[in-house]
CSV table of all heavy atoms in Angstrom, one decimal:
chain,number,residue,atom,x,y,z
A,1,ASN,N,0.8,-1.2,0.0
A,1,ASN,CA,0.0,0.0,0.0
A,1,ASN,C,0.9,1.2,0.0
A,1,ASN,O,2.0,1.2,0.4
A,1,ASN,CB,-0.9,0.0,1.2
A,1,ASN,CG,-1.8,-1.2,1.3
A,1,ASN,OD1,-2.8,-1.3,0.6
A,1,ASN,ND2,-1.5,-2.1,2.3
A,2,ILE,N,0.3,2.3,-0.5
A,2,ILE,CA,1.0,3.7,-0.4
A,2,ILE,C,0.1,4.5,0.6
A,2,ILE,O,-1.1,4.7,0.4
A,2,ILE,CB,1.0,4.4,-1.7
A,2,ILE,CG1,1.8,3.6,-2.7
A,2,ILE,CG2,1.6,5.8,-1.5
A,2,ILE,CD1,1.8,4.1,-4.1
A,3,MET,N,0.8,4.9,1.7
A,3,MET,CA,0.1,5.6,2.8
A,3,MET,C,0.7,6.9,3.0
A,3,MET,O,1.9,7.0,3.3
A,3,MET,CB,0.1,4.8,4.1
A,3,MET,CG,-0.3,3.3,3.9
A,3,MET,SD,-0.3,2.4,5.5
A,3,MET,CE,-0.2,0.7,4.9
A,4,HIS,N,0.0,8.0,2.9
A,4,HIS,CA,0.5,9.3,3.1
A,4,HIS,C,-0.5,10.3,3.7
A,4,HIS,O,-1.7,10.1,3.6
A,4,HIS,CB,1.1,9.9,1.7
A,4,HIS,CG,0.0,10.1,0.7
A,4,HIS,ND1,-0.7,11.3,0.6
A,4,HIS,CD2,-0.5,9.2,-0.2
A,4,HIS,CE1,-1.6,11.2,-0.4
A,4,HIS,NE2,-1.5,9.9,-0.9
A,5,ASP,N,0.0,11.3,4.4
A,5,ASP,CA,-0.8,12.3,4.9
A,5,ASP,C,-1.8,11.8,5.9
A,5,ASP,O,-3.0,12.1,5.8
A,5,ASP,CB,-1.4,13.2,3.8
A,5,ASP,CG,-0.4,13.9,3.0
A,5,ASP,OD1,0.2,14.9,3.6
A,5,ASP,OD2,-0.1,13.5,1.9
A,6,ASN,N,-1.4,10.8,6.7
A,6,ASN,CA,-2.1,10.3,7.9
A,6,ASN,C,-1.4,10.6,9.1
A,6,ASN,O,-0.2,11.0,9.1
A,6,ASN,CB,-2.3,8.8,7.8
A,6,ASN,CG,-3.0,8.4,6.5
A,6,ASN,OD1,-4.1,8.5,6.2
A,6,ASN,ND2,-2.1,7.7,5.6
A,7,ASP,N,-2.0,10.5,10.3
A,7,ASP,CA,-1.3,10.6,11.5
A,7,ASP,C,-0.1,9.5,11.5
A,7,ASP,O,1.0,9.9,11.8
A,7,ASP,CB,-2.1,10.3,12.7
A,7,ASP,CG,-3.0,11.5,13.1
A,7,ASP,OD1,-2.8,12.6,12.5
A,7,ASP,OD2,-4.0,11.4,13.9
A,8,SER,N,-0.5,8.3,11.2
A,8,SER,CA,0.5,7.2,11.0
A,8,SER,C,0.0,6.4,9.8
A,8,SER,O,-1.2,6.3,9.5
A,8,SER,CB,0.6,6.3,12.2
A,8,SER,OG,1.2,7.0,13.3
A,9,GLY,N,1.0,5.8,9.1
A,9,GLY,CA,0.5,4.9,8.0
A,9,GLY,C,-0.2,3.7,8.6
A,9,GLY,O,-1.4,3.4,8.2
A,10,VAL,N,0.4,3.1,9.6
A,10,VAL,CA,-0.2,2.0,10.4
A,10,VAL,C,-0.2,2.3,11.8
A,10,VAL,O,0.9,2.6,12.4
A,10,VAL,CB,0.4,0.7,10.1
A,10,VAL,CG1,-0.2,-0.5,10.9
A,10,VAL,CG2,0.4,0.3,8.6
A,11,TRP,N,-1.3,2.3,12.5
A,11,TRP,CA,-1.4,2.6,14.0
A,11,TRP,C,-2.2,1.5,14.6
A,11,TRP,O,-3.4,1.4,14.4
A,11,TRP,CB,-2.0,4.0,14.2
A,11,TRP,CG,-1.9,4.4,15.6
A,11,TRP,CD1,-0.8,5.0,16.2
A,11,TRP,CD2,-2.9,4.3,16.7
A,11,TRP,NE1,-1.1,5.3,17.5
A,11,TRP,CE2,-2.3,4.9,17.8
A,11,TRP,CE3,-4.2,3.8,16.7
A,11,TRP,CZ2,-3.0,4.9,19.0
A,11,TRP,CZ3,-4.9,3.8,17.9
A,11,TRP,CH2,-4.3,4.4,19.0
A,12,ILE,N,-1.6,0.6,15.4
A,12,ILE,CA,-2.3,-0.5,15.9
A,12,ILE,C,-2.0,-0.7,17.4
A,12,ILE,O,-0.9,-0.4,17.9
A,12,ILE,CB,-2.0,-1.9,15.2
A,12,ILE,CG1,-0.5,-2.2,15.2
A,12,ILE,CG2,-2.5,-1.8,13.8
A,12,ILE,CD1,-0.2,-3.6,14.6
A,13,VAL,N,-3.0,-1.0,18.2
A,13,VAL,CA,-3.0,-1.2,19.6
A,13,VAL,C,-3.5,-2.6,20.0
A,13,VAL,O,-4.5,-3.0,19.5
A,13,VAL,CB,-3.9,-0.1,20.3
A,13,VAL,CG1,-3.8,-0.2,21.8
A,13,VAL,CG2,-3.4,1.3,19.9
A,14,LEU,N,-2.7,-3.2,20.9
A,14,LEU,CA,-3.1,-4.5,21.4
A,14,LEU,C,-3.4,-5.4,20.2
A,14,LEU,O,-4.5,-6.1,20.2
A,14,LEU,CB,-4.3,-4.4,22.4
A,14,LEU,CG,-4.1,-3.8,23.7
A,14,LEU,CD1,-5.4,-3.5,24.5
A,14,LEU,CD2,-3.1,-4.6,24.5
A,15,SER,N,-2.5,-5.5,19.3
A,15,SER,CA,-2.6,-6.3,18.1
A,15,SER,C,-1.4,-7.1,17.9
A,15,SER,O,-0.3,-6.7,18.1
A,15,SER,CB,-2.8,-5.3,16.9
A,15,SER,OG,-4.0,-4.5,17.1
A,16,ASP,N,-1.6,-8.4,17.5
A,16,ASP,CA,-0.4,-9.3,17.4
A,16,ASP,C,-0.5,-10.2,16.2
A,16,ASP,O,-1.6,-10.4,15.6
A,16,ASP,CB,-0.3,-10.1,18.7
A,16,ASP,CG,-1.6,-10.9,19.0
A,16,ASP,OD1,-1.8,-12.1,18.5
A,16,ASP,OD2,-2.5,-10.4,19.8
A,17,HIS,N,0.6,-10.8,15.9
A,17,HIS,CA,0.8,-11.7,14.8
A,17,HIS,C,0.3,-11.2,13.4
A,17,HIS,O,-0.4,-11.9,12.7
A,17,HIS,CB,0.1,-13.0,15.2
A,17,HIS,CG,0.7,-13.7,16.4
A,17,HIS,ND1,0.3,-13.6,17.6
A,17,HIS,CD2,1.7,-14.6,16.4
A,17,HIS,CE1,1.0,-14.3,18.4
A,17,HIS,NE2,1.9,-14.9,17.7
A,18,ASN,N,0.6,-9.9,13.2
A,18,ASN,CA,0.2,-9.3,11.9
A,18,ASN,C,1.5,-9.2,11.1
A,18,ASN,O,2.6,-9.1,11.6
A,18,ASN,CB,-0.4,-8.0,12.1
A,18,ASN,CG,-1.7,-8.0,12.9
A,18,ASN,OD1,-2.7,-8.6,12.5
A,18,ASN,ND2,-1.7,-7.5,14.1
A,19,LEU,N,1.4,-9.1,9.8
A,19,LEU,CA,2.5,-8.9,8.9
A,19,LEU,C,2.3,-7.6,8.1
A,19,LEU,O,1.3,-7.4,7.5
A,19,LEU,CB,2.5,-10.0,7.8
A,19,LEU,CG,3.6,-10.0,6.7
A,19,LEU,CD1,5.0,-9.9,7.3
A,19,LEU,CD2,3.4,-11.1,5.8
A,20,ILE,N,3.3,-6.7,8.3
A,20,ILE,CA,3.2,-5.4,7.7
A,20,ILE,C,4.4,-5.3,6.7
A,20,ILE,O,5.6,-5.2,7.2
A,20,ILE,CB,3.3,-4.3,8.7
A,20,ILE,CG1,2.1,-4.4,9.7
A,20,ILE,CG2,3.2,-2.9,8.1
A,20,ILE,CD1,2.2,-3.5,11.0
A,21,LYS,N,4.2,-5.3,5.4
A,21,LYS,CA,5.4,-5.4,4.5
A,21,LYS,C,5.2,-4.6,3.2
A,21,LYS,O,4.0,-4.4,2.8
A,21,LYS,CB,5.7,-6.8,4.2
A,21,LYS,CG,4.6,-7.5,3.4
A,21,LYS,CD,5.1,-8.9,3.0
A,21,LYS,CE,4.0,-9.6,2.1
A,21,LYS,NZ,4.5,-10.9,1.5
A,22,ASN,N,6.3,-4.2,2.7
A,22,ASN,CA,6.3,-3.6,1.3
A,22,ASN,C,5.3,-2.4,1.1
A,22,ASN,O,4.8,-2.2,0.0
A,22,ASN,CB,5.9,-4.7,0.3
A,22,ASN,CG,6.9,-5.8,0.3
A,22,ASN,OD1,8.1,-5.7,0.7
A,22,ASN,ND2,6.5,-7.0,-0.2
A,23,ASN,N,5.1,-1.6,2.2
A,23,ASN,CA,4.3,-0.4,2.1
A,23,ASN,C,5.2,0.8,1.9
A,23,ASN,O,6.3,0.8,2.4
A,23,ASN,CB,3.5,-0.3,3.3
A,23,ASN,CG,2.5,-1.4,3.5
A,23,ASN,OD1,1.6,-1.6,2.8
A,23,ASN,ND2,2.8,-2.3,4.5
A,24,ILE,N,4.7,1.8,1.2
A,24,ILE,CA,5.4,3.1,1.1
A,24,ILE,C,4.6,4.1,2.0
A,24,ILE,O,3.4,4.3,1.8
A,24,ILE,CB,5.5,3.6,-0.4
A,24,ILE,CG1,6.2,2.6,-1.2
A,24,ILE,CG2,6.0,5.0,-0.5
A,24,ILE,CD1,6.2,2.9,-2.7
A,25,ILE,N,5.3,4.7,2.9
A,25,ILE,CA,4.7,5.5,3.9
A,25,ILE,C,5.4,6.9,4.0
A,25,ILE,O,6.7,6.9,4.2
A,25,ILE,CB,4.6,4.9,5.3
A,25,ILE,CG1,4.0,3.5,5.2
A,25,ILE,CG2,3.9,5.8,6.3
A,25,ILE,CD1,4.0,2.7,6.5
A,26,TYR,N,4.7,8.0,3.8
A,26,TYR,CA,5.4,9.3,3.9
A,26,TYR,C,4.4,10.3,4.4
A,26,TYR,O,3.2,10.1,4.3
A,26,TYR,CB,6.0,9.7,2.6
A,26,TYR,CG,5.1,9.8,1.4
A,26,TYR,CD1,4.6,11.1,1.1
A,26,TYR,CD2,4.7,8.7,0.6
A,26,TYR,CE1,3.7,11.2,-0.1
A,26,TYR,CE2,3.9,8.9,-0.5
A,26,TYR,CZ,3.4,10.1,-0.8
A,26,TYR,OH,2.5,10.3,-1.9
A,27,ASN,N,4.9,11.5,4.7
A,27,ASN,CA,4.1,12.6,5.2
A,27,ASN,C,3.2,12.2,6.4
A,27,ASN,O,2.1,12.6,6.4
A,27,ASN,CB,3.3,13.3,4.1
A,27,ASN,CG,4.1,14.1,3.2
A,27,ASN,OD1,5.3,14.3,3.4
A,27,ASN,ND2,3.5,14.6,2.1
A,28,SER,N,3.8,11.4,7.3
A,28,SER,CA,3.0,11.1,8.5
A,28,SER,C,3.2,12.1,9.6
A,28,SER,O,4.3,12.6,9.8
A,28,SER,CB,3.5,9.7,9.0
A,28,SER,OG,3.3,8.7,8.1
A,29,GLY,N,2.0,12.4,10.2
A,29,GLY,CA,2.1,13.4,11.3
A,29,GLY,C,2.8,12.9,12.5
A,29,GLY,O,3.4,13.6,13.4
A,30,GLU,N,2.8,11.6,12.7
A,30,GLU,CA,3.4,10.9,13.8
A,30,GLU,C,4.4,9.9,13.3
A,30,GLU,O,4.9,10.1,12.2
A,30,GLU,CB,2.4,10.3,14.8
A,30,GLU,CG,1.4,11.3,15.3
A,30,GLU,CD,0.2,10.6,16.1
A,30,GLU,OE1,0.3,9.4,16.3
A,30,GLU,OE2,-0.8,11.3,16.4
A,31,ALA,N,4.6,8.7,14.0
A,31,ALA,CA,5.5,7.7,13.4
A,31,ALA,C,4.8,7.1,12.2
A,31,ALA,O,3.6,6.8,12.2
A,31,ALA,CB,5.7,6.6,14.5
A,32,PRO,N,5.6,6.7,11.2
A,32,PRO,CA,5.0,6.1,10.0
A,32,PRO,C,4.3,4.7,10.4
A,32,PRO,O,3.2,4.5,9.8
A,32,PRO,CB,6.2,5.8,9.1
A,32,PRO,CG,7.2,6.8,9.5
A,32,PRO,CD,7.0,7.0,11.0
A,33,ILE,N,4.9,4.0,11.3
A,33,ILE,CA,4.3,2.7,11.8
A,33,ILE,C,4.3,2.8,13.3
A,33,ILE,O,5.4,2.9,13.8
A,33,ILE,CB,4.9,1.5,11.2
A,33,ILE,CG1,4.8,1.4,9.7
A,33,ILE,CG2,4.3,0.2,11.8
A,33,ILE,CD1,5.6,0.3,9.1
A,34,ARG,N,3.2,2.7,13.9
A,34,ARG,CA,3.2,2.8,15.4
A,34,ARG,C,2.5,1.6,16.0
A,34,ARG,O,1.3,1.3,15.7
A,34,ARG,CB,2.4,4.1,15.8
A,34,ARG,CG,2.4,4.3,17.3
A,34,ARG,CD,1.8,5.7,17.6
A,34,ARG,NE,1.9,5.9,19.0
A,34,ARG,CZ,1.4,7.0,19.6
A,34,ARG,NH1,0.8,8.0,18.8
A,34,ARG,NH2,1.4,7.2,20.9
A,35,LEU,N,3.2,0.8,16.8
A,35,LEU,CA,2.7,-0.4,17.5
A,35,LEU,C,2.7,-0.1,19.0
A,35,LEU,O,3.7,0.1,19.6
A,35,LEU,CB,3.5,-1.6,17.1
A,35,LEU,CG,3.9,-1.8,15.7
A,35,LEU,CD1,4.8,-3.0,15.5
A,35,LEU,CD2,2.6,-2.0,14.8
A,36,LYS,N,1.5,-0.2,19.6
A,36,LYS,CA,1.4,0.0,21.0
A,36,LYS,C,0.9,-1.2,21.7
A,36,LYS,O,-0.2,-1.8,21.3
A,36,LYS,CB,0.4,1.2,21.3
A,36,LYS,CG,0.2,1.5,22.8
A,36,LYS,CD,-0.8,2.6,22.9
A,36,LYS,CE,-1.1,2.9,24.4
A,36,LYS,NZ,-2.2,3.9,24.6
């Protein structure tokens, strides 16, 4: 995916066993990928 002009490209909380790969992320207001 191409993710831009979001707070984060991917923002997930209490989430596990996911695969996040081959994405283009830019112009994020926070971290491009944020895992909490």
Side-chain angles (χ1 to χ4, degrees):
N1 301 289
I2 299 173
M3 312 182 202
H4 63 91
D5 297 287
N6 304 286
D7 284 348
S8 293
V10 179
W11 189 85
I12 60 178
V13 180
L14 291 172
S15 300
D16 57 87
H17 295 92
N18 301 293
L19 175 59
I20 305 169
K21 66 172 184 174
N22 300 335
N23 300 288
I24 298 172
I25 305 172
Y26 62 93
N27 285 355
S28 299
E30 302 174 10
I33 299 175
R34 184 174 181 182
L35 313 177
K36 179 182 178 183

